[in-house]
Amino acid sequence: MGLKEQIRQDMQKAAKERDSLALSALRMAVAAIQNREIDAVTRKEIAQGAELPEEPLLKVIATMVKQRRESIGMFLQGNRQELADKEQAEIVVLERYLPKALPPQEIDALVREAIAETGAKGPSDMGRLMKAVMTKVAGRADGKAVNETVRRLLAG
């Protein structure tokens, strides 16, 4: 069963169980996926009626998680703890559909491997190195964490 079908089934389950928080988060996920599919058809990336492959769907969900993390920071600045808690609960629901994140040690090892492959020596090689590392981690690590590791290792 594909990711899209799994989300739809879980949405139905949440509706039957009257889990309004999960239902809300999953409805937003389905809407975001549909918008991405419409966008892909418009750009002629896929044919009309065809489904997106798994990777773009994971990117959509990862983007939703990232948006919620940013919202939590804003809500906490505005002393709105109840809204921050709601966003955190939605993150928990959405993260079920993402692959397990890489631990920092593994990111570190991948960056070191990419440095050896690309021959990066300093901060001027950062763009080339980031491109190499991001293709290896492909949705399993946050770009910010990778960026910090790359900066730290290139600085020496």
Side-chain angles (χ1 to χ4, degrees):
M1 169 184 341
L3 181 63
K4 187 175 169 184
E5 293 81 29
Q6 181 66 45
I7 292 173
R8 286 187 190 276
Q9 279 188 358
D10 290 350
M11 188 173 77
Q12 289 175 341
K13 182 179 171 191
K16 286 178 184 173
E17 294 173 356
R18 301 203 188 285
D19 183 353
S20 62
L21 186 84
L23 183 60
S24 170
L26 294 173
R27 278 184 176 153
M28 285 187 269
V30 167
I33 289 170
Q34 285 177 330
N35 287 339
R36 177 64 179 97
E37 285 179 338
I38 290 168
D39 190 40
V41 168
T42 304
R43 287 199 224 143
K44 302 198 184 329
E45 293 173 9
I46 60 172
Q48 185 85 31
E51 289 197 10
L52 276 173
E54 202 89 350
E55 188 177 324
L57 298 181
L58 289 173
K59 283 184 180 179
V60 167
I61 294 174
T63 300
M64 292 178 73
V65 169
K66 185 176 179 183
Q67 288 170 342
R68 276 154 185 72
R69 284 199 173 109
E70 291 170 358
S71 296
I72 288 172
M74 297 295 219
F75 289 142
L76 291 176
Q77 282 179 344
N79 289 330
R80 298 296 307 265
Q81 185 63 45
E82 71 283 359
L83 293 176
D85 293 343
K86 179 180 179 278
E87 294 289 315
Q88 184 60 47
E90 287 182 0
I91 287 174
V92 170
V93 170
L94 293 172
E95 282 184 334
R96 284 188 254 159
Y97 304 100
L98 294 173
K100 291 282 181 224
L102 291 174
Q105 304 88 337
E106 209 167 318
I107 294 172
D108 197 82
L110 286 170
V111 170
R112 289 181 191 279
E113 186 181 305
I115 288 173
E117 288 173 6
T118 61
K121 302 224 183 305
S124 61
D125 299 320
M126 188 163 169
R128 193 172 40 142
L129 187 58
M130 281 295 294
K131 185 176 179 182
V133 174
M134 291 308 287
T135 57
K136 290 181 180 186
V137 299
R140 297 178 299 153
D142 181 40
K144 186 176 180 182
V146 173
N147 187 301
E148 289 170 359
T149 305
V150 166
R151 283 184 193 275
R152 181 174 46 82
L153 292 176
L154 283 179

